[in-house]
Amino acid sequence: MVSRQAGSAAAAAAGGRPSERRPSREDPVGGSDAVERLRAVCLALPAVEERESHGEPTWFGGTGRRARVFTMLADHHHDERLAFWCPAPAGAQAALIAEDPTRFFRPPYVGHRGWVGVRLDVEPVDWARIEDLVTDAHALVTG
């Protein structure tokens, strides 16, 4: 578990470059920087807790039994992407994928519920947009 204060200090340089080898949280070429930057964005929001879920860092918004996942890192889901998944407002998933299918995708397991996958290994990483997506996801689950 990571505290909000510890995560806020972790804002790092932007994303990684797609390559022949798979980026990961441990990849000093950009993967770990992207994860730390995503962590900082998530932990800057109110009432957020980070826990591991399904083997990945996952951020929950809310407190107690009302805490719900609003962002989940996706670094090992049967593909070569470093990405995160988050819920999106109605219609946003299709619009984002249509706009940029290299960067956005329908994630397995939760895509049918409108969640969107966002790649962190496709340059340039638009951190302002990621912050907006994560903030919207947080608002959706904390209502």
Side-chain angles (χ1 to χ4, degrees):
M1 206 173 319
V2 176
S3 74
R4 187 174 165 193
Q5 293 77 19
S8 296
R17 179 180 307 275
S19 66
E20 293 299 315
R21 65 190 181 90
R22 180 176 182 202
S24 73
R25 289 179 296 230
E26 294 80 27
D27 186 350
V29 174
S32 70
D33 287 347
V35 173
E36 290 306 312
R37 184 123 183 217
L38 178 63
R39 175 175 282 124
V41 168
C42 292
L43 293 174
L45 296 167
V48 170
E49 180 178 66
E50 178 180 324
R51 294 182 281 202
E52 188 170 299
S53 179
H54 299 85
E56 298 284 6
T58 303
W59 294 272
F60 293 76
T63 57
R65 290 187 174 156
R66 293 184 179 260
R68 299 287 181 259
V69 173
F70 72 94
T71 302
M72 176 180 223
L73 188 69
D75 189 23
H76 73 273
H77 286 81
H78 315 293
D79 58 30
E80 296 298 314
R81 301 183 272 219
L82 174 61
F84 69 91
W85 304 345
C86 65
Q93 178 199 73
L96 290 166
I97 294 169
E99 173 191 321
D100 189 351
T102 303
R103 187 171 315 277
F104 301 105
F105 61 97
R106 182 179 182 196
Y109 314 114
V110 293
H112 68 280
R113 295 189 308 188
W115 284 49
V116 66
V118 182
R119 293 189 67 161
L120 296 172
D121 59 356
V122 175
E123 286 190 1
V125 177
D126 184 347
W127 286 103
R129 186 143 198 213
I130 287 172
E131 187 171 336
D132 288 344
L133 290 168
V134 168
T135 299
D136 288 349
H138 182 267
L140 283 171
V141 303
T142 60

